[in-house]
Amino acid sequence: MVQFMSFASRSIPFIRLFGSVCCLLALTTTALRAKTIRWFSDPLKDNRTSSGAAMDGGFRFELGVFTGGFTPTSANTADWASHWASAQRAVYNESNRLFTAQFTVTSNASPFTAGAQAWVWGFGGTSGREWILFRALSWTWPEPDPIDPIGFDWNADDATQVVLGAIKPPGSPAILMRSAAVSNSAPPASTFNLWRVEELSDVALNGPDDDPDGDGIPNILEYLFGTRPRSRDALPVTPISIVEISGQRYLQISIPRRLDRPATLITEVSTDLALWSSGPTYTQVTASAPDALLVRALAPLGSATPRLFMRMRATP
Ligand SMILES: [Ca+2]
Ligand SMILES: [Ca+2]
């Protein structure tokens, strides 16, 4: 009896100690399950748009996968954004002419399942419709690894599968990346706050109504139009026309906008440039094209309204 008690009292601390070591090992293993993807383009390369202009700091590059078995082609660009899952975004560095980022994979939550094809999608230009999409055959989504968390270098220079645009295009040996123009297609969306962080994080005048480059276009409209907030741009054209409906003449304005830049647009009308009115009593959206909104005044021009002015405002 004495011997049994003695055995039990010695074994309990041992079991507890063993349990603690197990917990410690499990914690250590969990903490190290990772895999790092460094994805980048080499510095100081010649990267161009389809028109031959140098890529500017308005370009974004995203690392991600397409969902639901979607296969991107140059014919289905309008459907890319709705099937795209971005893991990380990098802003193109205009000074060093590169993009670079590092993403740490810590899980394989859908759609980032092990073995999924990984792509790099670059997009930019004033309209956001200069695109490039590429990958290498070896760029497949990895599993986080408890033993070897050091990962991969995915260099644009190694891309072999290029769906849109070109990598090291034949006949232009100096160029690394060249984007292609797409139509009727929007790139991944950017909220105003994301755009503000990417473009104006180190600028004090970064509110929607501020104008740090002094070109007369407030930041919210630079965002909406796709111009750059730190370089002077010409005010985008907002054509005004007169349309005739059932013998009546109406004022109509065309407002350029980017579908990937969600904002609230308000069109206002005035007869005296002092009192401005908006809403369904005064205006009507007559067409909503991917790159422009057409808005018509509801009051016909005539003896009651001999002159009319239209203007637009935007809020994030
Ligand atoms: Ca401005
Ligand atoms: Ca500007």
Side-chain angles (χ1 to χ4, degrees), residues 255-269:
I255 303 165
R257 52 94 191 259
R258 284 179 54 159
L259 279 182
D260 59 312
R261 306 271 172 93
T264 303
L265 279 175
I266 302 153
T267 313
E268 298 176 320
V269 294

Side-chain angles (χ1 to χ4, degrees), residues 259-293:
L259 279 182
D260 59 312
R261 306 271 172 93
T264 303
L265 279 175
I266 302 153
T267 313
E268 298 176 320
V269 294
S270 173
T271 54
D272 57 7
L273 289 174
L275 180 67
W276 292 91
S277 307
S278 63
T281 314
Y282 299 94
T283 62
Q284 179 187 42
V285 174
T286 50
S288 181
D291 56 356
L293 199 65

Side-chain angles (χ1 to χ4, degrees), residues 39 59-63 88-92 99-101 198:
W39 55 290
F59 266 80
R60 306 284 182 265
F61 287 81
E62 289 192 351
L63 172 69
Q88 192 175 36
R89 177 186 276 206
V91 176
Y92 182 73
F99 67 84
T100 182
E198 291 174 340

